Structures are given as structure tokens and as C-alpha cells.
Amino acid sequence: MNLTKTNTSLFNRLRFVLVDTSSPGNVGAAARAIKTMGFSELVLVNPRYPDVLQRDEAIALASGAQDILASARIVETIEQALLGCNFAAALSARLREFSPPVTAPRALALQLAEDVTLTGAVIFGSERYGLPNEIVEKCNVLINIPANPDYSSLNLSQAVQVLAYECRVAASAQETLQGEVAASGIGFQGDTANLVEIEGMFAHLERALIEIDFLDPAHPKKLMPRLKRLFSRAGLETEEVNILRGIANQILTKRRRLDR
């Protein structure tokens, strides 16, 4: 199917982010995987080799997707990789006690395809260690690929291919429906808050909770990760983030007045 890549098309709203990748071959194979499914945005965070995009192994395994390598970006931090995104999904074979809500690739793909306000990133960890907890906790969902429980380890580029495929299938199923809904003008939905706005809100809320002695910074007991998990399920809009920041600001203001 030849899909029309409109501004709201998932093909223009989704990026693939590789963190601490060590193998140039995996970078090339990942570029090939996303191109075969119609995607084009690849971002590398702190790869082992700074010149990975020019390495022979990467170019060879890209096998016709050299344009994806040529346009790929290399950044130093996950925050830089997620600039402009309002939704992030971390992929991991290892479930975490305080992770965001866990979802399957197909459910994630449907969510991204149906909600045209989402500008998403799918994040993959290093071949050896996966993703660290501090990155997983920044994400809206944790993706777990259903696999053989006795041998669930996928190669990095294979995992990229699975996610890219599911997102393409979801995009092809929703493209016509999205156009019809947009044309009807029925219903209301605010702008989805971006990840920078949400992180700022959490920092603001944390200060307020400390001020009212609800949160002990010396013994936080995973309160903030639990709150992040709660709000990840809600799917915050910008106006909702502003309301929560207003509440936090009022708490801090009232506390300062009482302390005078």
C-alpha cells in the first residue's frame, strides 16, 4: 500500500532512538529496518564509535538505507534525543518494579497511529545492558515484546524491525480513519504535553511535596516514580500540566507566607 505521508501521518511523527549502541552493524541494520517500513528518523545517543555512521559495517548492513544513515543524528543525552517529542516508549526485555505502564508493540502502535497529537520516540538500549532505569522512568510506557520465555533475547535490529513493522501496520489501518475524524471536527482534545513540560511539572510538584512534608527527600520511598507511573497512564495534556504546576505553585506560595 502506498500511504500518503501527511503532516499527521505516523511516518512523520515517530523517531527511533538507539542508546549506547556498540555495534556499527546493528546501526546499519536498524536503519534498513526502519526504511523498509517507511520511517526515516534515526537518532543515536552516545554510540560507542563517534564515526559509526561512516563505518563500513554500518554502511554494508544498511543495504540501500544509506540515506537513513546520512540523515541520522548523534547526540550526547536522551534529553537531546527527545526534543520535540511528547511521548516516549522504552523497549526492554527486563520488567522493572517501578516502570511506566507495560504495553505490547501492537497496542503501542495503535495508540500512536490513532492519536495524531503524539510525536513519539521508541527507545532501544545497548546490546549488552539494555536501558538504564533513569531513562525508562522518563518514558510514558515500557514495551515488552512477547517472545519465547526460555529465550527472549532479540538482536537490537530485530527488535527495531518488530516495532517498525507494527507501527506500519497500525498506520495503514488508521490513515483513512484519521482523515475522516479530522474532517468532521467532532470532539475536543487538547495538545499533548511534551516530555520537557512533564519533567518540569514533576520537579515543581516534588518541591511542593517536600515543602508540605509529604515527601521526605532523605527517604523518598519511590514516591516520585509511582506518581510518574500514575500520570503516564493519564496521558497529560499541556493545560493539565499547567493546572498541576499551578497547584504546586500555590502550595509553595502558601508555605512561604506561613513561614514569615
Side-chain angles (χ1 to χ4, degrees):
M1 179 180 292
N2 184 19
L3 298 176
T4 302
K5 295 187 181 182
T6 63
N7 288 336
T8 59
S9 168
L10 182 56
F11 297 103
N12 291 329
R13 295 186 285 110
L14 184 63
R15 71 185 61 165
F16 291 78
V17 179
L18 310 184
V19 178
D20 295 331
T21 312
S22 60
S23 167
N26 277 335
V27 173
R32 179 179 183 179
I34 68 174
K35 182 172 182 177
T36 59
M37 294 298 114
F39 298 94
S40 59
E41 191 170 0
L42 179 63
V43 182
L44 309 181
V45 180
N46 193 33
R48 179 179 181 183
Y49 301 105
D51 64 343
V52 61
L53 300 174
Q54 290 79 42
R55 292 218 162 196
D56 291 342
E57 187 181 357
I59 294 171
L61 289 181
S63 187
Q66 284 85 356
D67 56 327
I68 305 298
L69 292 181
S71 62
R73 294 185 291 120
I74 295 180
V75 298
E76 295 181 355
T77 67
I78 191 64
E79 288 77 14
Q80 292 171 324
L82 296 179
L83 281 176
C85 291
N86 56 21
F87 189 92
L91 186 132
S92 177
R94 178 169 59 91
L95 300 180
R96 323 293 172 97
E97 182 180 3
F98 293 103
S99 78
V102 178
T103 190
R106 188 160 300 172
L108 170 75
L110 288 172
Q111 180 181 2
L112 291 172
E114 291 173 356
D115 189 346
V116 298
T117 69
L118 295 179
T119 300
V122 182
I123 307 170
F124 303 81
S126 70
E127 296 91 334
R128 186 172 180 183
Y129 300 109
L131 286 171
N133 287 335
E134 55 266 26
I135 290 181
V136 172
E137 289 176 1
K138 291 180 183 294
C139 295
N140 301 89
V141 295
L142 179 66
I143 314 164
N144 187 249
I145 297 176
N148 178 2
D150 296 325
Y151 188 67
S152 60
S153 176
L154 274 74
N155 172 271
L156 172 59
S157 62
Q158 292 172 335
V160 172
Q161 186 73 77
V162 169
L163 266 296
Y165 168 77
E166 291 290 355
C167 288
R168 180 175 181 82
V169 171
S172 65
Q174 293 296 325
E175 198 92 352
T176 301
L177 179 60
Q178 288 172 358
E180 292 173 352
V181 171
S184 71
I186 297 173
F188 171 79
Q189 185 172 26
D191 294 330
T192 302
N194 65 49
L195 298 175
V196 173
E197 291 171 334
I198 292 173
E199 282 298 308
M201 180 271 291
F202 279 125
H204 202 170
L205 184 60
E206 184 174 18
R207 293 199 303 272
L209 294 176
I210 291 171
E211 279 294 321
I212 61 173
D213 297 323
F214 190 84
L215 171 61
D216 180 358
H219 303 284
K221 296 182 179 179
K222 298 291 184 180
L223 175 62
M224 294 312 296
R226 287 182 183 276
L227 287 177
K228 288 182 179 182
R229 180 180 173 86
L230 184 156
F231 285 119
S232 290
R233 294 198 299 271
L236 291 170
E237 297 175 359
T238 297
E239 185 60 28
E240 293 164 343
V241 166
N242 291 338
I243 290 171
L244 290 167
R245 294 200 71 158
I247 294 170
N249 188 62
Q250 190 70 3
I251 291 172
L252 291 168
T253 300
K254 289 285 188 180
R255 186 62 182 230
R256 284 193 291 267
R257 288 175 182 170
L258 290 173
D259 289 340
R260 287 177 183 172

